[in-house]
Amino acid sequence: MLLIALLWLFILLFKLFFALKMLRAAHRHCGGDLHTVMVMQPILSGDPALESVLASTVGQLRGAAFLWLIDDDDAEAARVTQRLQVRYPQQHITVLSFPQAPEGVNPKLFKLEQARAQVTRDVILVLDDDAVLSAESLCNMLDALTESTLVTALPWYRAADNLPSRLLAQFVNDNSALTYLPLLPFSPPLTLNGMCYAIHGKTLASAGGFAPVLRHLTDDLAMATLLTRHGVRIVQSAAAVRVQTSVADAKRYFRQMHRWFLFATLLMHEKSAAINLAIFLLQGLHPLLLWTLVILAFGGATQTALLLGVLAIRHLALRYVQRAVAAEIPSHPLLSLLSELLQPFHLLNALVNRTIYWRSRRYRIFSNDWFTSL
């Protein structure tokens, strides 16, 4: 059991060291001009927090222009965006409505590509409708942005006031920095954070816009692959983006986790054996070792004491890196432990169940570029 605990500790400390190294090296000076930015947000109703989240972003990014992309049949999204246009008349907010994406076409990328011709500023910021980006974070992203790069942000979650939402948020807050940052000193990012990224419009146009990857379900991986092939370097910044999604019940929590883990399997399918081994050693092995320690702890007082020591180190390490990402991230040690122990079951579910839910939509997944609506 001691050897297992030492291996578990080595992996944790490796990830912690390099994550903190990247966070400390993050550029904190805000020198970007928000008047050069057009925020493109594909919007789909269904989340109770939608209006408040959009309002928070508009309030934060004064000077930026907004393109809000809704569906023709989404009456609630139309009402929300119209109310916010009235509430913020001084902001440049344009609402564009589109028909449903054709069968087999990514609905988010479909709206982004259709709206790209309406971009009137130099920099495009693609931002999910459940994400809030501060002016400081955007400025830090702009400082790292060049005509040959795409800059993506580091997500953390603010939970709604119920257990499923807190459990979902705990997964992101425990794993975001320790997933995106530790490998950066050794290799480029494996993908980009599709929730929030910035790119010059001319740079995006030189790669054909979003059109070449319209039939890819995992838009973040598809865009990262496309842009890399066109000589664009993906920059994973430490600029924090806050995500706020309401998860009504346990069923929706498991659906969300299933979708994320299924997308992870699609990413691994496109990577080399060496990259997959690194992913397993740094991400997949850790929960399995923790499960082993929990089971062995039933063997006696010594094993139990060792497990408690491991859990104490785990808690302190996670809290240290979470505070470096965002001081507002709360501490929930029991939820954190439960979240990690559930990860192998989420992965197993993703491997056997290829049907995902996204709010009111359902898709059957065959591969990254082959899926159908149900």
Side-chain angles (χ1 to χ4, degrees):
M1 183 172 180
L2 179 60
L3 290 177
I4 296 172
L6 290 174
L7 177 58
W8 178 93
L9 183 62
F10 173 79
I11 295 172
L12 175 65
L13 293 180
F14 177 91
K15 294 193 292 183
L16 179 68
F17 175 81
F18 287 105
L20 289 174
K21 182 178 179 179
M22 301 305 298
L23 287 166
R24 288 168 179 164
H27 188 47
R28 300 297 181 185
H29 173 67
C30 186
D33 182 6
L34 271 58
H35 290 85
T36 66
V37 178
M38 179 156 276
V39 185
M40 300 182 72
Q41 292 188 274
I43 294 173
L44 182 66
S45 67
D47 192 317
L50 175 64
E51 185 166 353
S52 64
V53 170
L54 291 175
S56 295
T57 296
V58 172
Q60 289 275 351
L61 303 184
R62 298 189 181 277
F66 291 82
L67 274 180
W68 284 346
L69 318 177
I70 66 174
D71 296 328
D72 289 344
D73 59 355
D74 196 340
E76 177 60 20
R79 286 191 290 268
V80 167
T81 53
Q82 288 169 8
R83 284 197 297 266
L84 291 174
Q85 278 183 306
V86 173
R87 191 188 308 175
Y88 298 97
Q90 74 281 8
Q91 290 288 84
H92 298 280
I93 300 175
T94 302
V95 180
L96 302 177
S97 184
F98 301 96
Q100 288 290 328
E103 181 62 39
V105 171
N106 184 304
K108 175 181 177 180
L109 294 177
F110 176 73
K111 288 192 285 191
L112 287 170
E113 178 60 20
Q114 297 297 309
R116 193 165 58 89
Q118 305 299 318
V119 173
T120 57
R121 299 196 178 186
D122 293 339
V123 177
I124 294 172
L125 176 73
V126 176
L127 188 67
D128 278 2
D129 61 4
D130 57 358
V132 178
L133 189 69
S134 69
E136 180 184 7
S137 287
L138 178 53
C139 285
N140 287 332
M141 293 174 68
L142 295 178
D143 286 342
L145 184 65
T146 70
E147 293 187 356
S148 61
T149 62
L150 174 148
V151 180
T152 184
L154 187 68
W156 69 277
Y157 259 61
R158 172 178 288 176
D161 192 20
N162 61 22
L163 180 60
S165 294
R166 288 196 292 269
L167 191 55
L168 183 76
Q170 196 66 50
F171 170 78
V172 176
N173 295 339
D174 284 351
N175 293 283
S176 176
L178 297 180
T179 297
Y180 285 107
L181 301 181
L183 283 178
L184 295 183
F186 309 99
S187 71
L190 300 180
T191 184
L192 58 87
N193 170 22
M195 298 175 181
C196 178
Y197 58 89
I199 187 171
H200 281 284
K202 291 181 180 179
T203 305
L204 180 61
S206 69
F210 302 99
V213 293
L214 284 178
R215 293 193 173 274
H216 287 249
L217 183 65
T218 52
D219 52 274
D220 45 6
L221 174 60
M223 288 301 299
T225 302
L226 171 69
L227 293 168
T228 300
R229 288 173 179 168
H230 283 81
V232 178
R233 184 169 58 92
I234 308 299
V235 176
Q236 173 63 64
S237 78
V241 57
R242 189 189 86 209
V243 184
Q244 184 172 336
T245 301
S246 302
V247 183
D249 50 38
K251 178 187 289 187
R252 287 175 175 81
Y253 160 77
F254 281 105
R255 285 179 177 179
Q256 178 71 70
M257 295 300 299
H258 172 250
R259 181 159 65 96
W260 284 346
F261 272 78
L262 193 149
F263 286 176
T265 66
L266 295 178
L267 180 148
M268 294 181 70
H269 182 72
E270 297 193 6
K271 299 300 180 180
S272 67
I275 292 295
N276 281 324
L277 178 60
I279 292 173
F280 172 73
L281 291 176
L282 291 179
Q283 308 300 332
L285 183 58
H286 222 234
L288 298 178
L289 292 175
L290 187 59
W291 261 113
T292 304
L293 292 172
V294 169
I295 293 171
L296 293 177
F298 289 98
T302 302
Q303 292 89 331
T304 301
L306 183 58
L307 173 64
L308 292 176
V310 163
L311 294 181
I313 294 171
R314 177 185 182 277
H315 173 71
L316 293 174
L318 288 178
R319 288 304 295 153
Y320 195 69
V321 74
Q322 285 167 357
R323 290 192 186 99
V325 174
E328 303 97 312
I329 296 177
S331 174
H332 297 295
L334 293 180
L335 283 181
S336 177
L337 177 60
L338 176 60
S339 174
E340 183 162 350
L341 292 176
L342 283 173
Q343 288 181 37
F345 300 99
H346 293 312
L347 178 58
L348 181 62
N349 186 29
L351 292 173
V352 300
N353 178 10
R354 310 301 287 183
T355 299
I356 67 167
Y357 291 81
W358 189 56
R359 295 184 187 172
S360 60
R361 294 173 176 171
R362 191 160 62 107
Y363 300 99
R364 176 67 176 173
I365 313 303
F366 301 96
S367 66
N368 192 23
D369 56 357
W370 181 22
F371 61 96
T372 58
S373 302
L374 299 176

